[in-house]
Amino acid sequence: MFDLLIRNATLPDGRAGLDIGVRAGRIVAVEAAIAGEAAEVIDAGGLLVSPPFVDPHFHMDATLSLGLPRMNISGTLLEGIALWGELRPTLTREALVERALRYCDLAVSKGLLAIRSHVDVSDPRLVTAEALLEVRERVAPYIDLQLVAFPQDGYYRCPEAEAALSRALDMGVDIVGGIPHFERTMEDGARSVAALCRIAAERGLMVDMHCDESDDPMSRHVETLAAQTVRFGLQGRVAGSHLTSMHSMDNYYVSKLIPLMAEADLRVIPNPLINIMLQGRHDTYPKRRGHTRIPQLMEAGLTVGFGQDCVLDPWYSMGTGDLLDVAHMALHATQMGSGADKRALFDAVTVNSARIMGLDGYGIAPGCNADMVILQAKDPAEAIRLRPVRLKVIRRGKVIAETAPELSRLALDGRPDRVDPADYAPRHAS
Ligand SMILES: [Zn+2]
């Protein structure tokens, strides 16, 4: 007897025609034609059943604040930071909680069930940390939320940040953040990386820094981050977010840097939507794309997971809560268009990010949490192409969100009477 049985699923690895049996919130069987009764049966109809989407880089304290107190006119990272600085003193715990919960509703509808959010700790009131710790608890039944203590105004540049970051960690914020490229000097940036890695080592925490979010090829804090990771024995527990300066770095230098990053098992978190929007702003033409070296880093065996960074906030007036939008942008901007590339991009919004967050029980296999998304698409490549409807979002064996399939009715003589976008999956591509 199962609590839930999903029939005829296609998995992201290409296996098709499988049933998934769920009992007590866990997956207990993944096989063809499972026999037995179930309290609830869902026919996936051969469509893609994926583990949930994972966003390893977000700002839940800023989300849905677009227009407060005004719009970002230049569209740059620096005006975004200045604008956030204007908004920050007016923030209240109640308003932060309400916006974050509202965003989480949207995330669930998109099958996004794990999020790592940075929390700005530059304002010593720490109302942001208080609010998001409350949100972490309130959404725990449906979203795994990790919080990063993020000194937005600089760990050394902002006089209150050192003490506030430490207090935020004492309050229960999970991860040590940083922003070395925003410190006053390269030296301060490097010092901040060393100090923050030391704090993580002493407290037994992970590190996730905004690092080299710049077009300056000499912004090389990623090198220091990798070296300090090895120095403190933090391999596999440190992430570098953005790393956009790598786009512009000298190739010879990168040929030494990437093996150093691999030695540190540094986790890499590009944010393709934000990076293409904010980078290259000082360029005329040609204009740089502003991504880190995604295919090269993947080829070197580094774990690369994509984040959204922003939805409707001072830095980005777009965003949908859909990690497939992120993969779609990454595909175009990196020109990763082969079948194998698309699989790798799908991994970058699912399993890779789950590994970066250290999620337990993630995946579609016996023993894993029964957390799944049924998409109106036939495989991962089609999912990236279509960014389709999430027909069912399942958490611990229960459907927590449903969306009706997208079907258009046609009134054309001699033509079919309906169009299902999933039916257009190419038959001969692989
Ligand atoms: Zn960010």
Side-chain angles (χ1 to χ4, degrees):
M1 180 73 186
F2 299 101
D3 299 329
L4 170 67
L5 199 50
I6 298 174
R7 296 282 191 200
N8 194 13
T10 297
L11 302 188
D13 64 12
R15 287 179 292 155
L18 293 177
D19 296 350
I20 302 166
V22 172
R23 199 180 295 132
R26 288 193 175 269
I27 295 171
V28 292
V30 181
E31 296 161 30
I34 292 175
E37 298 289 300
E40 186 180 4
V41 177
I42 297 172
D43 182 3
L47 294 172
L48 177 63
V49 180
S50 167
F53 296 101
V54 180
D55 184 352
H57 188 116
F58 196 64
H59 293 265
M60 212 177 274
D61 48 5
T63 193
L64 308 186
S65 70
L66 182 69
L68 297 174
R70 61 183 175 82
M71 296 293 282
N72 182 340
I73 303 302
S74 68
T76 58
L77 171 67
L78 295 182
E79 185 174 344
I81 292 175
L83 220 167
W84 173 243
E86 291 172 33
L87 175 60
R88 200 166 41 205
T90 69
L91 295 173
T92 65
R93 176 171 173 157
E94 294 69 30
L96 283 157
V97 168
E98 196 201 312
R99 280 198 278 108
L101 290 176
R102 192 148 173 268
Y103 175 75
C104 288
D105 296 341
L106 178 67
V108 167
S109 76
K110 300 291 186 187
L112 168 55
L113 302 186
I115 300 171
R116 174 182 284 181
S117 175
H118 294 257
V119 183
D120 184 9
V121 296
S122 306
D123 180 342
R125 292 184 303 146
L126 287 181
V127 63
T128 46
E130 275 178 16
L132 288 196
L133 284 163
E134 179 185 335
V135 170
R136 186 179 70 185
E137 202 171 306
R138 287 176 67 174
V139 304
Y142 51 94
I143 288 180
D144 296 303
L145 177 59
Q146 278 181 354
L147 302 177
V148 185
F150 173 47
Q152 170 78 73
D153 292 354
Y155 185 61
Y156 291 131
R157 188 166 167 171
C158 166
E160 286 107 355
E162 251 185 284
L165 181 133
S166 182
R167 261 194 303 127
L169 296 174
D170 291 342
M171 286 162 67
V173 171
D174 307 277
I175 296 169
V176 182
I179 185 163
H181 57 277
F182 193 69
E183 302 293 348
R184 284 196 181 84
T185 63
M186 291 289 179
E187 289 73 18
D188 280 357
R191 275 202 308 127
S192 78
V193 171
L196 292 160
C197 285
R198 179 184 293 281
I199 290 170
E202 285 172 358
R203 291 180 179 249
L205 300 176
M206 293 193 282
V207 175
D208 188 338
M209 288 194 199
H210 286 65
C211 191
D212 301 329
E213 188 181 2
S214 160
D215 295 312
D216 174 6
M218 299 311 288
S219 187
R220 295 177 168 186
H221 296 295
V222 59
E223 180 187 69
T224 308
L225 186 61
Q228 295 295 339
T229 298
V230 173
R231 175 187 173 203
F232 286 107
L234 293 168
Q235 289 92 335
R237 289 164 51 196
V238 176
S241 282
H242 295 297
L243 307 182
T244 50
S245 71
M246 287 185 72
H247 188 97
S248 302
M249 282 176 184
D250 172 68
N251 289 322
Y252 190 90
Y253 173 72
V254 170
S255 75
K256 179 199 167 208
L257 174 63
I258 290 183
L260 183 65
M261 293 167 69
E263 182 192 349
D265 193 6
L266 199 70
R267 306 301 161 89
V268 177
I269 308 177
N271 295 284
L273 294 168
I274 298 306
N275 296 154
I276 204 155
M277 195 68 186
L278 296 186
Q279 300 305 307
R281 288 275 174 167
H282 295 191
D283 294 357
T284 53
Y285 291 95
K287 234 181 204 310
R288 285 168 286 182
R289 294 168 183 231
H291 293 277
T292 194
R293 300 185 182 212
I294 292 167
Q296 262 184 290
L297 291 162
M298 285 179 167
E299 271 165 39
L302 285 138
T303 302
V304 178
F306 295 153
Q308 273 191 111
D309 207 359
C310 304
V311 169
L312 299 171
D313 72 10
W315 294 273
Y316 191 53
S317 65
M318 304 281 286
T320 57
D322 187 353
L323 267 290
L324 288 171
D325 280 348
V326 179
H328 190 267
M329 174 57 74
L331 181 148
H332 290 88
T334 62
Q335 303 173 329
M336 289 178 69
S338 75
D341 286 341
K342 290 173 188 166
R343 267 295 312 279
L345 294 169
F346 194 81
D347 285 350
V349 291
T350 53
V351 286
N352 296 2
S353 296
R355 189 177 308 131
I356 290 170
M357 286 183 64
L359 298 178
D360 288 327
Y362 180 89
I364 299 191
C368 291
N369 292 323
D371 300 348
M372 291 170 271
V373 184
I374 305 178
L375 297 108
Q376 191 186 351
K378 297 199 168 156
D379 58 41
E382 281 291 283
I384 295 171
R385 186 177 73 85
L386 295 170
R387 290 153 290 157
V389 164
R390 314 305 127 101
L391 298 167
K392 309 259 186 205
V393 179
I394 296 163
R395 172 84 165 178
R396 306 295 193 263
K398 297 206 163 40
V399 175
I400 59 169
E402 286 183 86
T403 307
E406 181 190 339
L407 293 171
S408 302
R409 292 235 161 267
L410 293 186
L412 301 172
D413 286 344
R415 299 306 303 155
D417 64 357
R418 57 171 227 172
V419 171
D420 176 347
D423 285 343
Y424 287 75
R427 280 179 218 150
H428 310 295
S430 63

